[in-house]
Amino acid sequence: MKEKLLDLLRGRGHKITSQRRAIIDALLAGGHFVTAQQILDIVKQTHPDVSLDTVYRNLSLLMELGAVDEIRTPNRDGNLFEVLTTGHHSHLVCLTCGRAKCLPFCPIKSSDMEQAGVDGFTVTSHSLEFYGYCRECQTSGAGEGFSCCTK
Amino acid sequence: MKEKLLDLLRGRGHKITSQRRAIIDALLAGGHFVTAQQILDIVKQTHPDVSLDTVYRNLSLLMELGAVDEIRTPNRDGNLFEVLTTGHHSHLVCLTCGRAKCLPFCPIKSSDMEQAGVDGFTVTSHSLEFYGYCRECQTSGAGEGFSCCTK
DNA sequence: ATTCTAAATAAGAATATTACTATTTAGGAG
DNA sequence: CTCCTAAATAGTAATATTCTTATTTAGAAT
């Protein structure tokens, strides 16, 4: 998977820096969903000087290339990032514990994209999240922020 | 429209402060889409001491009550807010000029909501934006940030 | 009108994210 | 291997948004 990402970057004319390698390593090592800060924490173990800016810049690049997805959450510790190993899909986000879970599909069809493209507007992408409450946060009263949803 | 919003707030047990009135006035006066900062600028004309925090707090409350929608944009001046005069719908956002346009519909069906509610997850809302390029930003090269999309 | 209390605010601080600029570097060309 | 240049980074700063806490206030009850 790592080589696949590096090849994608090379193929688009991007350079492979040691920081970039470390960020990709962290993305792949940090669990399914990671925050920018979590990536930084991992990267700092080998590259103490990297800045959050570099993490965000690389995440943006990987998102442009379609290799990473950003899940918008109401969490205090920021949005979640995910390496797209499978295809595009949408997510459930629990409003109590803040964790995300992948849906195996995305309800937006290509016909929706075309319908959306009115008045000469060309649709290139979309962002969709479902918000609500996961099973654990419904049954255990107010969620405590752990043992909830999928990692 | 203003009375409708005030009644909605009263009906849910919320107090009507002069700041809150001014924020609602600004929401209704500031054009279809407004940023939090634009609301603050208008409100400051009559209430010089209000803080952005108060603007955001009131926007969040109105969103909880379903009276206001937030459109997530990649703009440097923040997200856009819209009073929901008609029903729920989705938006187009131009990645060049940053302006938004309402679609007259939302492609998410109730069956999608039910499908999304897997593993005991209860879906209560969703957030969807379409991104791309409006007609003006496609034809005029790199957009200059005005004369684009709908207000 | 006075009192009371939960709701709302102001002020300041914290945090996530983005932008700017000077410096460094990957990797191709010679 | 050395040179060159566009790409990438570090450092710093700016900005959008959220949080904390002490203070104020709307509106209900008296």
Side-chain angles (χ1 to χ4, degrees), chain A residues 15-16 53 56 76-77 79:
Chain A
K15 298 176 179 174
I16 309 299
D53 179 80
Y56 278 110
R76 77 209 83 261
D77 55 347
N79 291 335

mmCIF file with all atom_site columns, all heavy atoms in Angstrom, chain A residues 15-16 53 56 76-77 79, chain C residues 15-19 26-27:
data_model
loop_
_atom_site.group_PDB
_atom_site.id
_atom_site.type_symbol
_atom_site.label_atom_id
_atom_site.label_alt_id
_atom_site.label_comp_id
_atom_site.label_asym_id
_atom_site.label_entity_id
_atom_site.label_seq_id
_atom_site.pdbx_PDB_ins_code
_atom_site.Cartn_x
_atom_site.Cartn_y
_atom_site.Cartn_z
_atom_site.occupancy
_atom_site.B_iso_or_equiv
_atom_site.pdbx_formal_charge
_atom_site.auth_seq_id
_atom_site.auth_comp_id
_atom_site.auth_asym_id
_atom_site.auth_atom_id
_atom_site.pdbx_PDB_model_num
ATOM 1   N N     . LYS A 1 15 ? 7.795   14.929 -5.492  1.00 0.00 ? 15 LYS A N     1
ATOM 2   C CA    . LYS A 1 15 ? 9.024   14.388 -4.918  1.00 0.00 ? 15 LYS A CA    1
ATOM 3   C C     . LYS A 1 15 ? 8.734   13.589 -3.658  1.00 0.00 ? 15 LYS A C     1
ATOM 4   O O     . LYS A 1 15 ? 7.772   13.862 -2.951  1.00 0.00 ? 15 LYS A O     1
ATOM 5   C CB    . LYS A 1 15 ? 9.979   15.533 -4.592  1.00 0.00 ? 15 LYS A CB    1
ATOM 6   C CG    . LYS A 1 15 ? 10.403  16.326 -5.814  1.00 0.00 ? 15 LYS A CG    1
ATOM 7   C CD    . LYS A 1 15 ? 11.259  17.508 -5.421  1.00 0.00 ? 15 LYS A CD    1
ATOM 8   C CE    . LYS A 1 15 ? 11.686  18.270 -6.667  1.00 0.00 ? 15 LYS A CE    1
ATOM 9   N NZ    . LYS A 1 15 ? 12.418  19.514 -6.296  1.00 0.00 ? 15 LYS A NZ    1
ATOM 10  N N     . ILE A 1 16 ? 9.596   12.627 -3.408  1.00 0.00 ? 16 ILE A N     1
ATOM 11  C CA    . ILE A 1 16 ? 9.441   11.788 -2.223  1.00 0.00 ? 16 ILE A CA    1
ATOM 12  C C     . ILE A 1 16 ? 10.465  12.235 -1.193  1.00 0.00 ? 16 ILE A C     1
ATOM 13  O O     . ILE A 1 16 ? 11.634  11.875 -1.276  1.00 0.00 ? 16 ILE A O     1
ATOM 14  C CB    . ILE A 1 16 ? 9.649   10.301 -2.568  1.00 0.00 ? 16 ILE A CB    1
ATOM 15  C CG1   . ILE A 1 16 ? 8.793   9.911  -3.771  1.00 0.00 ? 16 ILE A CG1   1
ATOM 16  C CG2   . ILE A 1 16 ? 9.334   9.444  -1.359  1.00 0.00 ? 16 ILE A CG2   1
ATOM 17  C CD1   . ILE A 1 16 ? 7.315   10.074 -3.587  1.00 0.00 ? 16 ILE A CD1   1
ATOM 18  N N     . ASP A 1 53 ? 1.829   22.037 9.668   1.00 0.00 ? 53 ASP A N     1
ATOM 19  C CA    . ASP A 1 53 ? 1.629   22.563 8.332   1.00 0.00 ? 53 ASP A CA    1
ATOM 20  C C     . ASP A 1 53 ? 2.004   21.538 7.273   1.00 0.00 ? 53 ASP A C     1
ATOM 21  O O     . ASP A 1 53 ? 1.276   21.335 6.299   1.00 0.00 ? 53 ASP A O     1
ATOM 22  C CB    . ASP A 1 53 ? 2.478   23.820 8.175   1.00 0.00 ? 53 ASP A CB    1
ATOM 23  C CG    . ASP A 1 53 ? 2.342   24.424 6.799   1.00 0.00 ? 53 ASP A CG    1
ATOM 24  O OD1   . ASP A 1 53 ? 1.341   25.111 6.577   1.00 0.00 ? 53 ASP A OD1   1
ATOM 25  O OD2   . ASP A 1 53 ? 3.221   24.172 5.968   1.00 0.00 ? 53 ASP A OD2   1
ATOM 26  N N     . TYR A 1 56 ? -0.621  18.782 7.145   1.00 0.00 ? 56 TYR A N     1
ATOM 27  C CA    . TYR A 1 56 ? -1.824  19.197 6.427   1.00 0.00 ? 56 TYR A CA    1
ATOM 28  C C     . TYR A 1 56 ? -1.569  19.330 4.923   1.00 0.00 ? 56 TYR A C     1
ATOM 29  O O     . TYR A 1 56 ? -2.413  18.987 4.104   1.00 0.00 ? 56 TYR A O     1
ATOM 30  C CB    . TYR A 1 56 ? -2.341  20.531 6.977   1.00 0.00 ? 56 TYR A CB    1
ATOM 31  C CG    . TYR A 1 56 ? -3.167  20.379 8.234   1.00 0.00 ? 56 TYR A CG    1
ATOM 32  C CD1   . TYR A 1 56 ? -2.685  20.804 9.459   1.00 0.00 ? 56 TYR A CD1   1
ATOM 33  C CD2   . TYR A 1 56 ? -4.435  19.819 8.189   1.00 0.00 ? 56 TYR A CD2   1
ATOM 34  C CE1   . TYR A 1 56 ? -3.441  20.673 10.618  1.00 0.00 ? 56 TYR A CE1   1
ATOM 35  C CE2   . TYR A 1 56 ? -5.198  19.678 9.332   1.00 0.00 ? 56 TYR A CE2   1
ATOM 36  C CZ    . TYR A 1 56 ? -4.696  20.115 10.552  1.00 0.00 ? 56 TYR A CZ    1
ATOM 37  O OH    . TYR A 1 56 ? -5.443  19.981 11.687  1.00 0.00 ? 56 TYR A OH    1
ATOM 38  N N     . ARG A 1 76 ? -13.518 17.990 19.032  1.00 0.00 ? 76 ARG A N     1
ATOM 39  C CA    . ARG A 1 76 ? -12.637 19.075 19.448  1.00 0.00 ? 76 ARG A CA    1
ATOM 40  C C     . ARG A 1 76 ? -11.223 18.834 18.933  1.00 0.00 ? 76 ARG A C     1
ATOM 41  O O     . ARG A 1 76 ? -10.435 19.764 18.851  1.00 0.00 ? 76 ARG A O     1
ATOM 42  C CB    . ARG A 1 76 ? -12.642 19.213 20.968  1.00 0.00 ? 76 ARG A CB    1
ATOM 43  C CG    . ARG A 1 76 ? -11.841 18.192 21.729  1.00 0.00 ? 76 ARG A CG    1
ATOM 44  C CD    . ARG A 1 76 ? -12.416 17.949 23.099  1.00 0.00 ? 76 ARG A CD    1
ATOM 45  N NE    . ARG A 1 76 ? -13.511 16.992 23.093  1.00 0.00 ? 76 ARG A NE    1
ATOM 46  C CZ    . ARG A 1 76 ? -14.816 17.290 23.111  1.00 0.00 ? 76 ARG A CZ    1
ATOM 47  N NH1   . ARG A 1 76 ? -15.209 18.517 23.192  1.00 0.00 ? 76 ARG A NH1   1
ATOM 48  N NH2   . ARG A 1 76 ? -15.741 16.356 23.059  1.00 0.00 ? 76 ARG A NH2   1
ATOM 49  N N     . ASP A 1 77 ? -10.899 17.613 18.620  1.00 0.00 ? 77 ASP A N     1
ATOM 50  C CA    . ASP A 1 77 ? -9.524  17.345 18.187  1.00 0.00 ? 77 ASP A CA    1
ATOM 51  C C     . ASP A 1 77 ? -9.405  17.241 16.668  1.00 0.00 ? 77 ASP A C     1
ATOM 52  O O     . ASP A 1 77 ? -8.431  16.714 16.162  1.00 0.00 ? 77 ASP A O     1
ATOM 53  C CB    . ASP A 1 77 ? -8.960  16.099 18.874  1.00 0.00 ? 77 ASP A CB    1
ATOM 54  C CG    . ASP A 1 77 ? -9.844  14.894 18.663  1.00 0.00 ? 77 ASP A CG    1
ATOM 55  O OD1   . ASP A 1 77 ? -10.984 15.082 18.202  1.00 0.00 ? 77 ASP A OD1   1
ATOM 56  O OD2   . ASP A 1 77 ? -9.396  13.782 18.950  1.00 0.00 ? 77 ASP A OD2   1
ATOM 57  N N     . ASN A 1 79 ? -10.727 16.977 12.407  1.00 0.00 ? 79 ASN A N     1
ATOM 58  C CA    . ASN A 1 79 ? -11.311 16.030 11.470  1.00 0.00 ? 79 ASN A CA    1
ATOM 59  C C     . ASN A 1 79 ? -10.490 14.749 11.389  1.00 0.00 ? 79 ASN A C     1
ATOM 60  O O     . ASN A 1 79 ? -9.339  14.708 11.834  1.00 0.00 ? 79 ASN A O     1
ATOM 61  C CB    . ASN A 1 79 ? -11.420 16.675 10.093  1.00 0.00 ? 79 ASN A CB    1
ATOM 62  C CG    . ASN A 1 79 ? -12.456 17.772 10.089  1.00 0.00 ? 79 ASN A CG    1
ATOM 63  O OD1   . ASN A 1 79 ? -13.395 17.779 10.888  1.00 0.00 ? 79 ASN A OD1   1
ATOM 64  N ND2   . ASN A 1 79 ? -12.304 18.723 9.185   1.00 0.00 ? 79 ASN A ND2   1
ATOM 65  P P     . DT  C 2 15 ? -5.072  23.765 23.945  1.00 0.00 ? 15 DT  C P     1
ATOM 66  O OP1   . DT  C 2 15 ? -5.237  22.529 24.728  1.00 0.00 ? 15 DT  C OP1   1
ATOM 67  O OP2   . DT  C 2 15 ? -3.753  24.383 23.736  1.00 0.00 ? 15 DT  C OP2   1
ATOM 68  O "O5'" . DT  C 2 15 ? -5.725  23.517 22.516  1.00 0.00 ? 15 DT  C "O5'" 1
ATOM 69  C "C5'" . DT  C 2 15 ? -7.131  23.340 22.411  1.00 0.00 ? 15 DT  C "C5'" 1
ATOM 70  C "C4'" . DT  C 2 15 ? -7.525  23.359 20.952  1.00 0.00 ? 15 DT  C "C4'" 1
ATOM 71  O "O4'" . DT  C 2 15 ? -7.686  24.717 20.506  1.00 0.00 ? 15 DT  C "O4'" 1
ATOM 72  C "C3'" . DT  C 2 15 ? -6.485  22.720 20.015  1.00 0.00 ? 15 DT  C "C3'" 1
ATOM 73  O "O3'" . DT  C 2 15 ? -7.164  21.869 19.125  1.00 0.00 ? 15 DT  C "O3'" 1
ATOM 74  C "C2'" . DT  C 2 15 ? -5.893  23.918 19.291  1.00 0.00 ? 15 DT  C "C2'" 1
ATOM 75  C "C1'" . DT  C 2 15 ? -7.108  24.835 19.236  1.00 0.00 ? 15 DT  C "C1'" 1
ATOM 76  N N1    . DT  C 2 15 ? -6.831  26.255 18.985  1.00 0.00 ? 15 DT  C N1    1
ATOM 77  C C2    . DT  C 2 15 ? -7.630  26.925 18.082  1.00 0.00 ? 15 DT  C C2    1
ATOM 78  O O2    . DT  C 2 15 ? -8.541  26.387 17.494  1.00 0.00 ? 15 DT  C O2    1
ATOM 79  N N3    . DT  C 2 15 ? -7.310  28.246 17.903  1.00 0.00 ? 15 DT  C N3    1
ATOM 80  C C4    . DT  C 2 15 ? -6.284  28.946 18.518  1.00 0.00 ? 15 DT  C C4    1
ATOM 81  O O4    . DT  C 2 15 ? -6.096  30.120 18.260  1.00 0.00 ? 15 DT  C O4    1
ATOM 82  C C5    . DT  C 2 15 ? -5.490  28.183 19.445  1.00 0.00 ? 15 DT  C C5    1
ATOM 83  C C7    . DT  C 2 15 ? -4.345  28.834 20.165  1.00 0.00 ? 15 DT  C C7    1
ATOM 84  C C6    . DT  C 2 15 ? -5.796  26.887 19.641  1.00 0.00 ? 15 DT  C C6    1
ATOM 85  P P     . DA  C 2 16 ? -6.374  20.784 18.280  1.00 0.00 ? 16 DA  C P     1
ATOM 86  O OP1   . DA  C 2 16 ? -6.755  19.455 18.784  1.00 0.00 ? 16 DA  C OP1   1
ATOM 87  O OP2   . DA  C 2 16 ? -4.957  21.161 18.179  1.00 0.00 ? 16 DA  C OP2   1
ATOM 88  O "O5'" . DA  C 2 16 ? -7.044  20.974 16.851  1.00 0.00 ? 16 DA  C "O5'" 1
ATOM 89  C "C5'" . DA  C 2 16 ? -8.453  21.118 16.750  1.00 0.00 ? 16 DA  C "C5'" 1
ATOM 90  C "C4'" . DA  C 2 16 ? -8.791  21.692 15.392  1.00 0.00 ? 16 DA  C "C4'" 1
ATOM 91  O "O4'" . DA  C 2 16 ? -8.511  23.105 15.386  1.00 0.00 ? 16 DA  C "O4'" 1
ATOM 92  C "C3'" . DA  C 2 16 ? -8.013  21.079 14.234  1.00 0.00 ? 16 DA  C "C3'" 1
ATOM 93  O "O3'" . DA  C 2 16 ? -8.893  20.893 13.139  1.00 0.00 ? 16 DA  C "O3'" 1
ATOM 94  C "C2'" . DA  C 2 16 ? -6.940  22.131 13.948  1.00 0.00 ? 16 DA  C "C2'" 1
ATOM 95  C "C1'" . DA  C 2 16 ? -7.637  23.423 14.323  1.00 0.00 ? 16 DA  C "C1'" 1
ATOM 96  N N9    . DA  C 2 16 ? -6.750  24.482 14.799  1.00 0.00 ? 16 DA  C N9    1
ATOM 97  C C8    . DA  C 2 16 ? -5.784  24.389 15.760  1.00 0.00 ? 16 DA  C C8    1
ATOM 98  N N7    . DA  C 2 16 ? -5.144  25.509 15.993  1.00 0.00 ? 16 DA  C N7    1
ATOM 99  C C5    . DA  C 2 16 ? -5.740  26.414 15.129  1.00 0.00 ? 16 DA  C C5    1
ATOM 100 C C6    . DA  C 2 16 ? -5.519  27.785 14.885  1.00 0.00 ? 16 DA  C C6    1
ATOM 101 N N6    . DA  C 2 16 ? -4.603  28.506 15.517  1.00 0.00 ? 16 DA  C N6    1
ATOM 102 N N1    . DA  C 2 16 ? -6.294  28.390 13.957  1.00 0.00 ? 16 DA  C N1    1
ATOM 103 C C2    . DA  C 2 16 ? -7.219  27.650 13.319  1.00 0.00 ? 16 DA  C C2    1
ATOM 104 N N3    . DA  C 2 16 ? -7.521  26.363 13.456  1.00 0.00 ? 16 DA  C N3    1
ATOM 105 C C4    . DA  C 2 16 ? -6.734  25.793 14.391  1.00 0.00 ? 16 DA  C C4    1
ATOM 106 P P     . DT  C 2 17 ? -8.370  20.222 11.803  1.00 0.00 ? 17 DT  C P     1
ATOM 107 O OP1   . DT  C 2 17 ? -9.530  19.626 11.135  1.00 0.00 ? 17 DT  C OP1   1
ATOM 108 O OP2   . DT  C 2 17 ? -7.175  19.415 12.122  1.00 0.00 ? 17 DT  C OP2   1
ATOM 109 O "O5'" . DT  C 2 17 ? -7.926  21.481 10.952  1.00 0.00 ? 17 DT  C "O5'" 1
ATOM 110 C "C5'" . DT  C 2 17 ? -8.924  22.445 10.608  1.00 0.00 ? 17 DT  C "C5'" 1
ATOM 111 C "C4'" . DT  C 2 17 ? -8.283  23.586 9.868   1.00 0.00 ? 17 DT  C "C4'" 1
ATOM 112 O "O4'" . DT  C 2 17 ? -7.425  24.323 10.755  1.00 0.00 ? 17 DT  C "O4'" 1
ATOM 113 C "C3'" . DT  C 2 17 ? -7.399  23.175 8.678   1.00 0.00 ? 17 DT  C "C3'" 1
ATOM 114 O "O3'" . DT  C 2 17 ? -8.046  23.642 7.506   1.00 0.00 ? 17 DT  C "O3'" 1
ATOM 115 C "C2'" . DT  C 2 17 ? -6.059  23.858 8.941   1.00 0.00 ? 17 DT  C "C2'" 1
ATOM 116 C "C1'" . DT  C 2 17 ? -6.432  24.924 9.974   1.00 0.00 ? 17 DT  C "C1'" 1
ATOM 117 N N1    . DT  C 2 17 ? -5.350  25.351 10.879  1.00 0.00 ? 17 DT  C N1    1
ATOM 118 C C2    . DT  C 2 17 ? -5.015  26.690 10.907  1.00 0.00 ? 17 DT  C C2    1
ATOM 119 O O2    . DT  C 2 17 ? -5.554  27.522 10.203  1.00 0.00 ? 17 DT  C O2    1
ATOM 120 N N3    . DT  C 2 17 ? -4.006  27.010 11.779  1.00 0.00 ? 17 DT  C N3    1
ATOM 121 C C4    . DT  C 2 17 ? -3.326  26.150 12.626  1.00 0.00 ? 17 DT  C C4    1
ATOM 122 O O4    . DT  C 2 17 ? -2.442  26.560 13.379  1.00 0.00 ? 17 DT  C O4    1
ATOM 123 C C5    . DT  C 2 17 ? -3.729  24.771 12.553  1.00 0.00 ? 17 DT  C C5    1
ATOM 124 C C7    . DT  C 2 17 ? -3.053  23.762 13.421  1.00 0.00 ? 17 DT  C C7    1
ATOM 125 C C6    . DT  C 2 17 ? -4.715  24.441 11.692  1.00 0.00 ? 17 DT  C C6    1
ATOM 126 P P     . DT  C 2 18 ? -7.324  23.468 6.091   1.00 0.00 ? 18 DT  C P     1
ATOM 127 O OP1   . DT  C 2 18 ? -8.396  23.323 5.096   1.00 0.00 ? 18 DT  C OP1   1
ATOM 128 O OP2   . DT  C 2 18 ? -6.231  22.490 6.184   1.00 0.00 ? 18 DT  C OP2   1
ATOM 129 O "O5'" . DT  C 2 18 ? -6.688  24.921 5.899   1.00 0.00 ? 18 DT  C "O5'" 1
ATOM 130 C "C5'" . DT  C 2 18 ? -7.495  26.053 6.117   1.00 0.00 ? 18 DT  C "C5'" 1
ATOM 131 C "C4'" . DT  C 2 18 ? -6.679  27.309 5.878   1.00 0.00 ? 18 DT  C "C4'" 1
ATOM 132 O "O4'" . DT  C 2 18 ? -5.752  27.505 6.961   1.00 0.00 ? 18 DT  C "O4'" 1
ATOM 133 C "C3'" . DT  C 2 18 ? -5.855  27.299 4.589   1.00 0.00 ? 18 DT  C "C3'" 1
ATOM 134 O "O3'" . DT  C 2 18 ? -6.110  28.513 3.912   1.00 0.00 ? 18 DT  C "O3'" 1
ATOM 135 C "C2'" . DT  C 2 18 ? -4.414  27.186 5.086   1.00 0.00 ? 18 DT  C "C2'" 1
ATOM 136 C "C1'" . DT  C 2 18 ? -4.496  27.867 6.444   1.00 0.00 ? 18 DT  C "C1'" 1
ATOM 137 N N1    . DT  C 2 18 ? -3.495  27.456 7.455   1.00 0.00 ? 18 DT  C N1    1
ATOM 138 C C2    . DT  C 2 18 ? -2.784  28.417 8.124   1.00 0.00 ? 18 DT  C C2    1
ATOM 139 O O2    . DT  C 2 18 ? -2.925  29.600 7.911   1.00 0.00 ? 18 DT  C O2    1
ATOM 140 N N3    . DT  C 2 18 ? -1.901  27.941 9.059   1.00 0.00 ? 18 DT  C N3    1
ATOM 141 C C4    . DT  C 2 18 ? -1.660  26.624 9.385   1.00 0.00 ? 18 DT  C C4    1
ATOM 142 O O4    . DT  C 2 18 ? -0.848  26.331 10.246  1.00 0.00 ? 18 DT  C O4    1
ATOM 143 C C5    . DT  C 2 18 ? -2.450  25.661 8.646   1.00 0.00 ? 18 DT  C C5    1
ATOM 144 C C7    . DT  C 2 18 ? -2.262  24.214 8.935   1.00 0.00 ? 18 DT  C C7    1
ATOM 145 C C6    . DT  C 2 18 ? -3.311  26.112 7.729   1.00 0.00 ? 18 DT  C C6    1
ATOM 146 P P     . DA  C 2 19 ? -5.451  28.816 2.492   1.00 0.00 ? 19 DA  C P     1
ATOM 147 O OP1   . DA  C 2 19 ? -6.469  29.500 1.670   1.00 0.00 ? 19 DA  C OP1   1
ATOM 148 O OP2   . DA  C 2 19 ? -4.803  27.596 2.000   1.00 0.00 ? 19 DA  C OP2   1
ATOM 149 O "O5'" . DA  C 2 19 ? -4.329  29.884 2.842   1.00 0.00 ? 19 DA  C "O5'" 1
ATOM 150 C "C5'" . DA  C 2 19 ? -4.715  31.068 3.505   1.00 0.00 ? 19 DA  C "C5'" 1
ATOM 151 C "C4'" . DA  C 2 19 ? -3.480  31.901 3.806   1.00 0.00 ? 19 DA  C "C4'" 1
ATOM 152 O "O4'" . DA  C 2 19 ? -2.744  31.276 4.857   1.00 0.00 ? 19 DA  C "O4'" 1
ATOM 153 C "C3'" . DA  C 2 19 ? -2.524  32.044 2.614   1.00 0.00 ? 19 DA  C "C3'" 1
ATOM 154 O "O3'" . DA  C 2 19 ? -2.231  33.422 2.456   1.00 0.00 ? 19 DA  C "O3'" 1
ATOM 155 C "C2'" . DA  C 2 19 ? -1.301  31.246 3.033   1.00 0.00 ? 19 DA  C "C2'" 1
ATOM 156 C "C1'" . DA  C 2 19 ? -1.367  31.319 4.547   1.00 0.00 ? 19 DA  C "C1'" 1
ATOM 157 N N9    . DA  C 2 19 ? -0.738  30.203 5.251   1.00 0.00 ? 19 DA  C N9    1
ATOM 158 C C8    . DA  C 2 19 ? -1.016  28.870 5.106   1.00 0.00 ? 19 DA  C C8    1
ATOM 159 N N7    . DA  C 2 19 ? -0.305  28.089 5.891   1.00 0.00 ? 19 DA  C N7    1
ATOM 160 C C5    . DA  C 2 19 ? 0.491   28.967 6.591   1.00 0.00 ? 19 DA  C C5    1
ATOM 161 C C6    . DA  C 2 19 ? 1.470   28.767 7.589   1.00 0.00 ? 19 DA  C C6    1
ATOM 162 N N6    . DA  C 2 19 ? 1.815   27.567 8.048   1.00 0.00 ? 19 DA  C N6    1
ATOM 163 N N1    . DA  C 2 19 ? 2.077   29.858 8.085   1.00 0.00 ? 19 DA  C N1    1
ATOM 164 C C2    . DA  C 2 19 ? 1.722   31.065 7.621   1.00 0.00 ? 19 DA  C C2    1
ATOM 165 N N3    . DA  C 2 19 ? 0.826   31.380 6.687   1.00 0.00 ? 19 DA  C N3    1
ATOM 166 C C4    . DA  C 2 19 ? 0.230   30.274 6.219   1.00 0.00 ? 19 DA  C C4    1
ATOM 167 P P     . DA  C 2 26 ? 16.444  15.274 -0.216  1.00 0.00 ? 26 DA  C P     1
ATOM 168 O OP1   . DA  C 2 26 ? 16.032  14.697 1.073   1.00 0.00 ? 26 DA  C OP1   1
ATOM 169 O OP2   . DA  C 2 26 ? 17.854  15.209 -0.637  1.00 0.00 ? 26 DA  C OP2   1
ATOM 170 O "O5'" . DA  C 2 26 ? 15.537  14.631 -1.356  1.00 0.00 ? 26 DA  C "O5'" 1
ATOM 171 C "C5'" . DA  C 2 26 ? 14.138  14.920 -1.341  1.00 0.00 ? 26 DA  C "C5'" 1
ATOM 172 C "C4'" . DA  C 2 26 ? 13.577  14.856 -2.749  1.00 0.00 ? 26 DA  C "C4'" 1
ATOM 173 O "O4'" . DA  C 2 26 ? 13.959  16.050 -3.485  1.00 0.00 ? 26 DA  C "O4'" 1
ATOM 174 C "C3'" . DA  C 2 26 ? 14.056  13.676 -3.582  1.00 0.00 ? 26 DA  C "C3'" 1
ATOM 175 O "O3'" . DA  C 2 26 ? 12.967  13.254 -4.382  1.00 0.00 ? 26 DA  C "O3'" 1
ATOM 176 C "C2'" . DA  C 2 26 ? 15.204  14.265 -4.407  1.00 0.00 ? 26 DA  C "C2'" 1
ATOM 177 C "C1'" . DA  C 2 26 ? 14.775  15.721 -4.588  1.00 0.00 ? 26 DA  C "C1'" 1
ATOM 178 N N9    . DA  C 2 26 ? 15.851  16.711 -4.579  1.00 0.00 ? 26 DA  C N9    1
ATOM 179 C C8    . DA  C 2 26 ? 16.971  16.698 -3.806  1.00 0.00 ? 26 DA  C C8    1
ATOM 180 N N7    . DA  C 2 26 ? 17.757  17.740 -3.985  1.00 0.00 ? 26 DA  C N7    1
ATOM 181 C C5    . DA  C 2 26 ? 17.106  18.494 -4.934  1.00 0.00 ? 26 DA  C C5    1
ATOM 182 C C6    . DA  C 2 26 ? 17.417  19.712 -5.555  1.00 0.00 ? 26 DA  C C6    1
ATOM 183 N N6    . DA  C 2 26 ? 18.514  20.433 -5.291  1.00 0.00 ? 26 DA  C N6    1
ATOM 184 N N1    . DA  C 2 26 ? 16.552  20.195 -6.469  1.00 0.00 ? 26 DA  C N1    1
ATOM 185 C C2    . DA  C 2 26 ? 15.446  19.492 -6.736  1.00 0.00 ? 26 DA  C C2    1
ATOM 186 N N3    . DA  C 2 26 ? 15.034  18.322 -6.219  1.00 0.00 ? 26 DA  C N3    1
ATOM 187 C C4    . DA  C 2 26 ? 15.928  17.878 -5.318  1.00 0.00 ? 26 DA  C C4    1
ATOM 188 P P     . DG  C 2 27 ? 12.975  11.874 -5.093  1.00 0.00 ? 27 DG  C P     1
ATOM 189 O OP1   . DG  C 2 27 ? 11.573  11.426 -5.223  1.00 0.00 ? 27 DG  C OP1   1
ATOM 190 O OP2   . DG  C 2 27 ? 13.979  11.027 -4.431  1.00 0.00 ? 27 DG  C OP2   1
ATOM 191 O "O5'" . DG  C 2 27 ? 13.509  12.279 -6.533  1.00 0.00 ? 27 DG  C "O5'" 1
ATOM 192 C "C5'" . DG  C 2 27 ? 12.738  13.184 -7.321  1.00 0.00 ? 27 DG  C "C5'" 1
ATOM 193 C "C4'" . DG  C 2 27 ? 13.573  13.698 -8.459  1.00 0.00 ? 27 DG  C "C4'" 1
ATOM 194 O "O4'" . DG  C 2 27 ? 14.566  14.628 -7.971  1.00 0.00 ? 27 DG  C "O4'" 1
ATOM 195 C "C3'" . DG  C 2 27 ? 14.357  12.620 -9.234  1.00 0.00 ? 27 DG  C "C3'" 1
ATOM 196 O "O3'" . DG  C 2 27 ? 14.231  12.911 -10.602 1.00 0.00 ? 27 DG  C "O3'" 1
ATOM 197 C "C2'" . DG  C 2 27 ? 15.784  12.830 -8.765  1.00 0.00 ? 27 DG  C "C2'" 1
ATOM 198 C "C1'" . DG  C 2 27 ? 15.764  14.349 -8.651  1.00 0.00 ? 27 DG  C "C1'" 1
ATOM 199 N N9    . DG  C 2 27 ? 16.876  14.962 -7.937  1.00 0.00 ? 27 DG  C N9    1
ATOM 200 C C8    . DG  C 2 27 ? 17.641  14.441 -6.933  1.00 0.00 ? 27 DG  C C8    1
ATOM 201 N N7    . DG  C 2 27 ? 18.581  15.247 -6.511  1.00 0.00 ? 27 DG  C N7    1
ATOM 202 C C5    . DG  C 2 27 ? 18.419  16.380 -7.293  1.00 0.00 ? 27 DG  C C5    1
ATOM 203 C C6    . DG  C 2 27 ? 19.148  17.598 -7.302  1.00 0.00 ? 27 DG  C C6    1
ATOM 204 O O6    . DG  C 2 27 ? 20.096  17.938 -6.592  1.00 0.00 ? 27 DG  C O6    1
ATOM 205 N N1    . DG  C 2 27 ? 18.660  18.485 -8.262  1.00 0.00 ? 27 DG  C N1    1
ATOM 206 C C2    . DG  C 2 27 ? 17.609  18.224 -9.100  1.00 0.00 ? 27 DG  C C2    1
ATOM 207 N N2    . DG  C 2 27 ? 17.279  19.197 -9.943  1.00 0.00 ? 27 DG  C N2    1
ATOM 208 N N3    . DG  C 2 27 ? 16.919  17.092 -9.091  1.00 0.00 ? 27 DG  C N3    1
ATOM 209 C C4    . DG  C 2 27 ? 17.378  16.216 -8.170  1.00 0.00 ? 27 DG  C C4    1
#
